[in-house]
Amino acid sequence: MAPVEVLRMALRALAANRARSALTVLSITIGAFAIVVMSSLAESGLETIARGIEELGGARILLVGQKRPERGEDKQSAYARGLTIADRDRTFAGIPHVSSLTLFSRLGKKEVLAESGLRATTSVVAADAGFFDVFHMKVARGRAFTEDENRGRAALCVVGHELAERIGPKPTDALGGFLSIGSFRCRVVGVFADNARFGTSFGFDWTDLVVAPGEAMGDLDPEVVARAAVFVKTDAPSSNDIVKRLVNARLERRHPGVDDFTLFDLSSVMTKFRAIFAGLELVVAVLSGIALLVGGVGVMNMMLVAVSERVREIGIRKALGARPRSIGVQFLTEAVLLSSLGGATGVVAGLGVAALSSGLITRALPHWQTSLAPSAAATALVVTMAIGIGFGWVPARRASRLDPIEAMRR
């Protein structure tokens, strides 16, 4: 029998039981739909977080921080504790493969008082002028302070757009006004643009913050030096080890016998991060695959019922010369059609819902990256076809082995 004729007969047989066929297709559709939607949203979340980190440097990021020493704590009186701008310059002077760096201190949430008398609690960061370029903090209105102003201890600051909305009757009122952070009073010279990064944090809020010169704030708040860290960006992930060895050697010479600093390499974190997300996507696929298996059982059940209902038809076809193999292929084709139709419907619906969901999420999170997981869609289609073959084989085999005489008597 020609393949086209086999396909035509299979479609005619399925159409004869529309309701039952539709319910069977629906069970497969739900599984394929779940795989595509969940994988697409998971991949979108991964890409959004990864892009936020990659914008800052990704695997090229090194963070030099401070910690409580595990040995030689009694020697700390022999040197100045904390990290200063002089330490930054001495440690990184002449080190190759460093593309940019900044010294900054995350001071946590603090209450600020605006010139208008309004108060707000916001993230406070004391930093050098390199902070703006290294962290890609774009200024929408006004300007950022310069390194000369930082070294000159200028009482200036730049605020996030969310803070600007809360400390003045209008966001524009914040620019040029004065802001008090404890005993430190600064003039607002700039307002940040929306620099939000989903799922990425370095100890401060991206949109609700105030950034002031580290030198000026350090004169009034000792926590600035005590909490200081150096954010370093290398020219390539392969250069991280070289930079770490050189920085470690210089810091050990400065603090002999005292391990009061730590080097954090984000390249290893990025590798683990992607491995974790790959594991999560696998879990999502397994959970969704259970729905497909349930649908496969439905396909087998329907085909077994179809065989029992069409025993007389099978007997007549065999009596007219149909080979057992042709009978088996006929029923196997019907099973594959059921599962493939369900898979294709689920994939199309899943891609549509994933795109719609990402569009809605983008309204709330403009930096959300839409990914429709084509690999998950292709996998769902292949798996549904395999399910049709796997779960349709038993009914097809049973139909092909029916005795024609016994079949015609029923």
Side-chain angles (χ1 to χ4, degrees):
M1 188 181 296
V4 175
E5 184 62 27
V6 172
L7 185 61
R8 185 181 296 112
M9 290 181 64
L11 289 171
R12 191 160 50 240
L14 295 178
N17 296 280
R18 291 185 179 86
R20 192 165 62 192
S21 298
L23 290 174
T24 305
V25 167
L26 181 62
S27 62
I28 296 289
T29 299
I30 291 172
F33 174 84
I35 288 178
V36 174
V37 171
M38 296 176 71
S39 296
S40 294
L41 293 179
E43 194 169 301
S44 295
L46 168 63
E47 289 302 319
T48 301
I49 296 173
R51 179 171 180 177
I53 298 175
E54 288 297 334
E55 284 181 353
L56 300 177
R60 299 184 292 127
I61 296 174
L62 298 175
L63 192 65
V64 182
Q66 304 177 61
K67 68 171 185 175
R68 186 179 182 84
E70 298 176 4
R71 55 185 173 81
E73 188 173 2
D74 56 327
K75 298 181 181 180
Q76 284 188 311
S77 58
Y79 58 84
R81 302 183 189 183
L83 291 172
T84 65
I85 195 168
D87 297 324
R88 179 203 68 184
D89 294 341
R90 284 196 298 266
T91 302
F92 291 93
I95 289 186
H97 306 297
V98 173
S99 61
S100 58
L101 57 87
T102 180
L103 176 72
F104 72 108
S105 301
R106 298 154 291 185
L107 303 177
K109 295 282 188 177
K110 290 182 178 292
E111 187 178 72
V112 298
L113 174 63
E115 191 176 14
S116 61
L118 296 173
R119 296 178 181 272
T121 301
T122 188
S123 296
V124 177
V125 178
D128 58 21
F131 176 88
F132 306 102
D133 289 333
V134 171
F135 281 100
H136 295 282
M137 298 294 285
K138 298 177 182 178
V139 178
R141 298 190 302 276
R143 64 179 181 86
F145 56 81
T146 66
E147 184 60 17
D148 287 338
E149 289 171 331
N150 175 47
R151 292 177 182 271
R153 290 168 166 75
L156 307 174
C157 56
V158 184
V159 301
H161 72 278
E162 289 188 12
L163 177 60
E165 292 173 358
R166 291 190 291 137
I167 61 175
K170 297 180 180 178
T172 53
D173 293 343
L175 189 63
F178 285 89
L179 193 67
S180 296
I181 311 167
S183 58
F184 178 72
R185 188 167 185 264
C186 59
R187 182 166 59 87
V188 179
V189 295
V191 176
F192 287 116
D194 185 0
N195 296 301
R197 294 180 178 87
F198 176 77
T200 306
S201 175
F202 282 88
F204 55 86
D205 194 304
W206 294 105
T207 57
D208 187 358
L209 80 164
V210 55
V211 181
E215 294 298 280
M217 282 203 74
D219 291 338
L220 300 174
D221 188 351
E223 287 294 303
V224 172
V225 176
R227 296 189 180 188
V230 182
F231 185 100
V232 185
K233 192 184 302 183
T234 63
D235 55 11
S238 58
S239 303
N240 287 12
D241 285 338
I242 299 173
V243 175
K244 283 193 297 184
R245 285 199 298 268
L246 293 173
V247 170
N248 188 69
R250 292 189 179 184
L251 288 175
E252 283 187 341
R253 282 201 302 269
R254 177 175 175 265
H255 298 173
V258 184
D259 57 337
D260 64 338
F261 61 90
T262 180
L263 289 168
F264 185 75
D265 187 349
L266 204 66
S267 61
S268 59
V269 175
M270 291 293 290
T271 301
K272 293 178 182 177
F273 171 75
R274 293 190 177 278
I276 291 172
F277 253 84
L280 290 175
E281 287 187 321
L282 179 61
V283 170
V284 167
V286 170
L287 292 177
S288 303
I290 294 174
L292 280 179
L293 290 177
V294 172
V297 173
V299 170
M300 179 183 287
N301 180 63
M302 177 181 171
M303 296 311 301
L304 287 172
V305 172
V307 171
S308 64
E309 290 178 344
R310 294 158 60 187
V311 168
R312 187 174 180 81
E313 173 196 327
I314 295 170
I316 293 174
R317 288 182 60 188
K318 282 194 171 183
L320 293 174
R323 296 165 55 190
R325 183 175 179 276
S326 298
I327 300 295
V329 168
Q330 178 66 48
F331 281 88
L332 190 61
T333 301
E334 292 178 22
V336 173
L337 272 176
L338 279 172
S339 58
S340 298
L341 181 59
T345 304
V347 166
V348 172
L351 291 174
V353 170
L356 179 61
S357 300
S358 290
L360 294 175
I361 294 173
T362 303
R363 292 186 179 182
L365 300 171
H367 299 278
W368 181 264
Q369 299 297 303
T370 299
S371 177
L372 297 183
S375 58
T379 300
L381 288 174
V382 172
V383 170
T384 52
M385 291 183 65
I387 283 176
I389 295 172
F391 285 88
W393 182 80
V394 171
R397 185 169 179 269
R398 177 174 296 184
S400 67
R401 291 191 171 188
L402 284 175
D403 182 81
I405 298 176
E406 290 295 328
M408 290 178 67
R409 286 177 178 174
R410 296 186 187 181

